[in-house]
Amino acid sequence: LGGHLLVSRRRHLAADAARDGRLDTGDLVEVGLDAPEAAAGKGRLGQARRSRAGGLGLGDGGSRNDPFGNGQNLGTWMGKILRIDVDHPADGKPYGIPADNPFVKRAGAQPEIYAYGFRNVHRLSWDLTDGTMFGSDIGMTNIEEINIIREGENYGWMRREGFFENGITSFNLPIAEHV
């Protein structure tokens, strides 16, 4: 696919789930993004429960060592978790941007960004009792992380991977890592 990322929304019908778990594929929203490189550019869509806006995890777009500096750059979606609202399109986009996203009013930042500093967010999931978001981040060589995702927080890539830091200490640490 040449590094092109595509997000599609499929609305899950409660009546179908009770019957056979089918999805309604007639209601799709597509958001395209050209990634500079195919590796570490894969995106994963997570769906929040009930009426919460969904989360979308995107890799940094580079093969190794974040060659484009995307993880720490708020001007790009790459290396971020985005939060968009596919049920309320706005401003000519096939989705809306929740007004309380942390970077909506920051000059130069993409308003869709919810959290940043990731290499390749692989999975997002939510605790169904309290809504806590968890994300796994695939490391470059030896480290895989599990993080509690918090609004507006920096998770450190490329300056940190797992618990290993490269001289910068103002990042959220993962709750677990696997070597």
Side-chain angles (χ1 to χ4, degrees), residues 12-22:
H12 186 78
L13 300 177
D16 287 341
R19 197 170 65 244
D20 63 8
R22 288 181 300 139

Side-chain angles (χ1 to χ4, degrees), residues 80-109:
K80 313 297 184 295
I81 291 177
L82 311 180
R83 188 172 69 145
I84 61 175
D85 184 348
V86 295
D87 291 325
H88 301 97
D91 301 324
K93 296 179 181 178
Y95 59 88
I97 300 170
D100 62 347
N101 269 8
F103 301 104
V104 165
K105 295 179 181 173
R106 183 179 290 187

Side-chain angles (χ1 to χ4, degrees), residues 71-72 116-118 154-161 171-172:
Q72 297 298 310
Y116 67 106
F118 298 97
N154 182 355
Y155 291 83
W157 176 254
M158 158 74 208
R159 296 177 181 152
R160 184 190 55 73
E161 182 174 8
F171 305 114
N172 276 353

Side-chain angles (χ1 to χ4, degrees), residues 24 39-40 83 134 156 177:
D24 175 5
R83 188 172 69 145
F134 294 89
E177 70 178 12

Side-chain angles (χ1 to χ4, degrees), residues 47-169:
Q47 294 180 336
R49 63 187 180 98
R50 297 190 190 120
S51 62
R52 294 192 140 151
L56 171 66
L58 297 175
D60 68 11
S63 56
R64 297 183 58 78
N65 298 313
D66 194 8
F68 307 104
N70 289 333
Q72 297 298 310
N73 179 358
L74 292 174
T76 179
W77 287 356
M78 306 305 291
K80 313 297 184 295
I81 291 177
L82 311 180
R83 188 172 69 145
I84 61 175
D85 184 348
V86 295
D87 291 325
H88 301 97
D91 301 324
K93 296 179 181 178
Y95 59 88
I97 300 170
D100 62 347
N101 269 8
F103 301 104
V104 165
K105 295 179 181 173
R106 183 179 290 187
Q110 296 295 318
E112 295 88 347
I113 297 173
Y114 184 77
Y116 67 106
F118 298 97
R119 180 173 185 272
N120 187 5
V121 179
H122 182 66
R123 292 281 187 259
L124 297 175
S125 63
W126 285 259
D127 182 314
L128 296 179
T129 59
D130 67 9
T132 299
M133 183 190 309
F134 294 89
S136 63
D137 192 13
I138 297 183
M140 184 170 71
T141 306
N142 297 319
I143 306 296
E144 314 293 335
E145 306 176 9
I146 298 173
N147 294 283
I148 294 175
I149 308 302
R150 294 183 177 95
E151 175 181 322
E153 294 293 332
N154 182 355
Y155 291 83
W157 176 254
M158 158 74 208
R159 296 177 181 152
R160 184 190 55 73
E161 182 174 8
F163 293 108
F164 297 97
E165 297 187 20
N166 299 328
I168 308 289
T169 58

